[in-house]
Amino acid sequence: MFNKYQRLSAVLSVFALLITVLFPAQSDAQRHAKKIPTTKELKLDLLIKGGTVINGSGSAPVKTDVGIRGDRIVFVGKSAGFKIDAARTLDAAGMIVAPGFIDPHTHTLEDLSNSKTSGNEDYLMQGVTTVITGNDGDGPFLVAETLNKWEQQGIGTNAALLVGQGRVRGEVVGAGDVQPTIEQLAQMKNLIAQAMDEGAFGMSTGLYYAPGSFAKTEEVIELAKIAAQKGGVYDTHMRDEGSYSIGLLGSIRETIRIGREAKIPVHISHIKALGRDVWGQSRQAVRIIKQARAAGIKVTANQYPYTASGTNVTAALVPRWAEAGGNAELLKRIRDPQIRPRLFVEMEANLIRRNGAEAILITRSRNQELVGKTLGAIAKERNKSPVETALEIVEGGGAGIASFNMNEKDIEYFMKQPFVMTGSDGSSGHPRKYGTFPRKLRQYVFDKKLITLPFTIRRSSALTAETFRIPERGHLRVGYFADVIVFDPKTVADRATYEQPETLATGMKYVVVNGKLAVDEGKYTGNLAGRALRKTLDAK
Ligand SMILES: [Zn+2]
């Protein structure tokens, strides 16, 4: 992207500008003697004028101006004392000006790779200028290939990749509930190392999902050590967010152990207390995390502001042992009269964990008739039990669901923690893909006043960049990339609902990605100004 000299010259020009900004005081005599003009000239591509700037550091808002030249922020301050030559001036009066949001957990891999959806409009309209994808253990190990494709095709937001432990295990070990041989472990390590060398920012796991779930903690630690050596982070959908196996607290302890033993920063994705059995455990979870942080282990988390999670019928209700070997094996087990009764008993228990059949809403299915109905309603229509109905749905190719399993009190308790960032986990059929960032602003900052605006902006931008070690983004700071958003605090809001999940958010007036307007006067421009981000070893 930039060679050493381009980067050096950018740094030097920013430094020169800083000197003129920091040491402007000159006596008239000095000025006369050196023939320095009385007003300093500033050539800009974009001047964002008169807004309330919240810069990502967590500090208080400041009414000031922001100047952009090329793909960089070159000026932050009052522009009044300067002779400004700006190609365009954006009026930000009454608006909030902030660093573009960074989403640490998305499922945008397909959207970004498809020329019809690579603009990432649903995220841009939320103010998101950088997405991370490859989470839940599902990230591709052919990292260079994916990044190159994005680069050639063009993408609307910046995007970074994580290599997925589940993918790697599936490739090397297969879909079975088996342990790797020494050779297979070495092969997995090689794939992780290669992915990191090709630009991945870390390794993700989905220890709840097959086949990632078949890995023991020790195996995950061995792989995480490789990511750690390459300066990467560990991002996890934990083994259990409820009461399925080792429990929410057991999973948090497992994650911390991985961080400690692999010497890697760990990041808990979509932290939650899933299901009635563990409601209220947010307090103990936070206590355990705080202890680990105090002991020097880097533990952070992200969260989306919804009471329903998004998953599928199989992942939510079918026990993992029944999935061993892949889908064909699962279907055989469902039809096996020796196995079916055990499956039934365990699925009944899982349904209770998920708060019952009325708390499961079908959001995606090959059979369109199911979409928008609860599992309970479908079971009634078919005059069958919810578990029988769920098995029919699995046999018919499965279905995506919104699973209403969270308690508002836990959501708010997690949200107030300084180490919890905003992350959409956006998936088709769930409103979080279109609404997460503005919803948090509207509901929790402006309406409920649970958290402050500078606190929230920091946890939606700079802290995320620092956590995932993404250089020169996330702060509104001279010299940084010009990923900048301008939004109206009165109108910023999510519009997506469970009924209409694909409804764009409102309130973003301007969204600038690498110096280019991706949203202009509230409208998506179609500019593909995003960049495929590559981790470099010096960017720790
Ligand atoms: Zn997940």
Side-chain angles (χ1 to χ4, degrees), residues 70-244:
D71 62 0
R72 301 279 173 160
I73 297 167
V74 295
F75 175 81
V76 180
K78 297 272 186 208
S79 62
F82 291 81
K83 187 171 176 287
I84 303 249
D85 175 10
R88 190 165 165 205
T89 299
L90 308 177
D91 177 13
M95 302 283 141
I96 305 293
V97 182
F101 294 149
I102 300 177
D103 191 334
H105 190 123
T106 73
H107 294 278
T108 51
L109 188 63
E110 267 179 50
D111 281 357
L112 291 169
S113 305
N114 177 340
S115 61
K116 287 198 187 85
T117 48
S118 67
N120 238 357
E121 184 184 4
D122 37 3
Y123 280 97
L124 287 170
M125 296 307 276
Q126 297 184 60
V128 174
T129 54
T130 299
V131 295
I132 293 173
T133 191
N135 307 77
D136 291 337
D138 202 30
F141 48 86
L142 298 174
V143 167
E145 192 182 288
T146 307
L147 295 173
N148 290 340
K149 184 177 184 184
W150 292 347
E151 223 149 49
Q152 282 154 16
Q153 201 169 262
I155 51 178
T157 60
N158 304 307
L161 272 177
L162 301 171
V163 54
Q165 168 265 345
R167 271 290 176 99
V168 167
R169 198 180 208 273
E171 173 74 13
V172 175
V173 183
D177 184 2
V178 288
Q179 297 312 303
T181 62
I182 291 166
E183 290 76 24
Q184 284 173 324
L185 186 63
Q187 241 179 303
M188 287 194 280
K189 286 182 181 177
N190 283 341
L191 284 178
I192 302 281
Q194 189 193 327
M196 291 299 301
D197 289 340
E198 289 181 5
F201 280 74
M203 179 179 94
S204 77
T205 61
L207 299 181
Y208 176 69
Y209 298 108
S213 59
F214 303 130
K216 298 207 165 95
T217 313
E218 291 76 13
E219 176 186 328
V220 180
I221 290 169
E222 286 310 302
L223 301 181
K225 279 180 185 169
I226 305 298
Q229 284 160 17
K230 306 277 183 182
V233 299
Y234 174 82
D235 167 75
T236 183
H237 178 147
M238 297 191 298
R239 204 177 285 280
D240 190 1
E241 298 174 318
S243 57
Y244 281 85

Side-chain angles (χ1 to χ4, degrees), residues 1-2 68 71-73 158 471-484 512-515 531 533:
M1 225 180 317
F2 283 95
I68 293 166
D71 62 0
R72 301 279 173 160
I73 297 167
N158 304 307
E472 298 174 289
R473 297 186 193 271
H475 284 274
L476 213 160
R477 186 184 281 171
V478 169
Y480 269 47
F481 284 102
D483 295 339
V484 183
V512 180
V513 180
N514 296 306
R531 291 190 185 150
L533 305 182

Side-chain angles (χ1 to χ4, degrees), residues 337-359:
Q338 301 295 312
I339 297 175
R340 200 172 161 92
R342 181 182 162 201
L343 203 51
F344 246 77
V345 171
E346 293 196 26
M347 285 178 69
E348 291 279 4
N350 289 345
L351 191 58
I352 292 166
R353 289 191 172 96
R354 293 268 171 180
N355 295 343
E358 289 306 325

